[in-house]
Amino acid sequence: MQNINEIEELIKLISKLPGLGPKSAKRIVLKLINNRDELVKPMANTLAQLYKNVTRCNSCGSLKSISTGCINCENTKNKYSKICVVEDIADQWSIENSNIYQGYFHILGGTISSVGQRKEDLLVNSLVERVNRDKIEEVILATSATVEGQTTAYYIQDSLKNSNVKITKLAQGLPVGGEIETLDDGTLFSAFKNRSNLVSNSD
């Protein structure tokens, strides 16, 4: 293969995307090169606009557009009494697509034990603020059934101990070591339907 720097750099970048390796990246790059006007130009423009206009909400962690604001936070049409706490946006999308849950979302941005992730980096303080400000009645912890996910769930539970709110977690149907975004709709439905109360051990 010809050693063209621009092509090599693009292959390296695409290889970093989930589920893609060097071979898949090479095929994608060739497809792009062979369809410059149909793919490369509009994709470059769209990526530039995304970089400029789409960011993460500092309050709930969801994605928002600079032009429209955060739909998750500014949802005045439906007043919910529940917040579902997830690790990342992929988890939120999976739950939304299943049509199982109707309520607010709170995206932490990772877990406590994630590489390079600290407690301070997670949006736990803003979660406590939302619960108290919006008179939330139930917080559903939908973190993954991994060590990191469960550790994060316990940390959130402890952070909410002074808030008058019911705390539940996804239960049956959620396999040990399972990640939310990989679960099918049936498993998610069972996990939400059979969620259990969390009782604080701090007293």
Side-chain angles (χ1 to χ4, degrees), residues 158-170:
D158 186 62
S159 299
L160 290 168
K161 64 184 178 183
N162 294 324
S163 301
N164 186 24
V165 64
K166 177 182 179 182
I167 304 174
T168 60
K169 66 175 180 177
L170 301 191

Side-chain angles (χ1 to χ4, degrees), residues 82-171:
K82 296 179 290 187
I83 289 182
C84 181
V85 181
V86 295
E87 293 172 16
D88 54 45
I89 293 167
D91 296 338
Q92 176 191 357
W93 288 352
S94 295
I95 294 172
E96 282 180 331
N97 290 337
S98 69
N99 294 317
I100 294 166
Y101 168 75
Q102 295 295 321
Y104 297 117
F105 281 93
H106 193 87
I107 299 88
L108 297 170
T111 57
I112 290 175
S113 299
S114 298
V115 177
Q117 193 69 275
R118 302 174 303 165
K119 293 179 181 178
E120 297 79 14
D121 296 327
L122 304 179
L123 294 181
V124 176
N125 289 336
S126 64
L127 171 63
V128 176
E129 291 174 6
R130 291 181 70 196
V131 167
N132 295 329
R133 181 189 67 223
D134 300 333
K135 296 180 174 62
I136 298 299
E137 297 175 4
E138 180 183 6
V139 172
I140 303 171
L141 300 179
T143 53
S144 298
T146 59
V147 173
E148 293 84 358
Q150 296 307 302
T151 301
T152 304
Y154 289 130
Y155 175 66
I156 294 170
Q157 181 185 355
D158 186 62
S159 299
L160 290 168
K161 64 184 178 183
N162 294 324
S163 301
N164 186 24
V165 64
K166 177 182 179 182
I167 304 174
T168 60
K169 66 175 180 177
L170 301 191

